[in-house]
Amino acid sequence: MWPLPLVLPVFLPLSLALMIVLLQPGWVAAAETADVDVGLYALGAFPSDQGLFAQGSNPSNTRISNGAGAGIKAVVFPHGLGNIVGIGLESFGHGSEISFSSPASAGSPVRTNLWVFSSMVNLTLRYPGKALVPYIGVGGGYSSGVLTHADIPGRSDRDFEGSWAFGSQFFGGLQGNLTEKVFLFSEYKYFSANYHWKQLALDFRSHYVLFGIGLRF
């Protein structure tokens, strides 16, 4: 079960922003001067096993498992910028697991669930083709790494703990237009953020593969 008290602060701001944009009386008129792409996607996460610092040292046998999750993104491409440069918002989240041999307990196995939730502001460059639309971009924003069921010796709180950090990413992808308004897209993303909890820190680095569907307004 996802830790809702820590998920909502990440996903609500983007959801509210999208609602405000789409409910504005003049948003249809604004669409005449810009393309607005809104997409939902599923993702696969492939984190690096490096960068863990626990109980005063770098533990052995560190494993950060692959995970799955989902996200939502919206990008505005002003016609005045040639329909090429876009500014967007994005929120995504996924689950994983951290396991390692405890340096403080004679190498005993330790594990905890890891949930990553991020809200980003992105700059996107695209080639506005007819059938296929390739794009690249960079982004930055807030990210939260949440531990649940943390079976770590010396921790009094084993329920959950969150760490807020600055996250950054770069990405590249391809849209396939099904109609003027509907498109499919696939994307590669590299993401990084540094999380710090009690007796545990992680320089989180992950590759993501995304597949989604979107609407163009």
Side-chain angles (χ1 to χ4, degrees):
M1 182 176 179
W2 286 27
L4 289 179
L6 293 166
V7 177
L8 293 179
V10 177
F11 284 90
L12 279 180
L14 178 59
S15 300
L16 291 174
L18 291 178
M19 290 179 62
I20 290 172
V21 170
L22 296 180
L23 293 178
Q24 287 293 325
W27 78 272
V28 174
E32 296 178 357
T33 60
D35 283 352
V36 181
D37 290 3
V38 179
L40 295 173
Y41 60 83
L43 66 83
F46 305 93
S48 168
D49 291 330
Q50 307 299 315
L52 183 67
F53 188 82
Q55 300 172 320
S57 66
N58 297 107
S60 60
N61 301 322
T62 297
R63 169 65 177 159
I64 304 174
S65 67
N66 298 335
I72 179 173
K73 63 191 305 184
V75 191
V76 176
F77 292 93
H79 296 168
L81 296 178
N83 223 22
I84 296 174
V85 180
I87 299 293
L89 298 174
E90 177 180 17
S91 282
F92 61 90
H94 67 86
S96 186
E97 184 182 77
I98 300 173
S99 60
F100 59 92
S101 297
S102 172
S105 299
S108 61
V110 174
R111 62 173 40 88
T112 177
N113 295 329
L114 171 65
W115 302 91
V116 175
F117 305 105
S118 302
S119 287
M120 314 295 285
V121 177
N122 296 326
L123 174 66
T124 303
L125 300 177
R126 71 175 183 179
Y127 176 77
K130 295 295 184 181
L132 298 177
V133 181
Y135 61 91
I136 59 173
V138 296
Y142 282 108
S143 182
S144 179
V146 182
L147 302 181
T148 61
H149 305 293
D151 184 17
I152 300 174
R155 280 181 58 95
S156 58
D157 184 359
R158 301 193 177 191
D159 186 10
F160 69 83
E161 181 185 0
S163 171
W164 290 91
F166 174 78
S168 61
Q169 62 182 12
F170 64 82
F171 53 88
L174 182 67
Q175 289 182 359
N177 294 325
L178 300 180
T179 69
E180 285 188 10
K181 300 296 185 181
V182 181
F183 60 88
L184 300 177
F185 64 96
S186 178
E187 181 177 307
Y188 164 80
K189 182 199 305 283
Y190 181 80
F191 177 81
S192 64
N194 298 333
Y195 305 123
H196 297 270
W197 308 278
K198 296 175 183 177
Q199 300 193 24
L200 196 68
L202 175 63
D203 293 340
F204 183 76
R205 306 289 184 269
S206 183
H207 304 274
Y208 293 107
V209 177
L210 284 58
F211 297 96
I213 185 169
L215 293 176
R216 181 173 297 111
F217 299 93

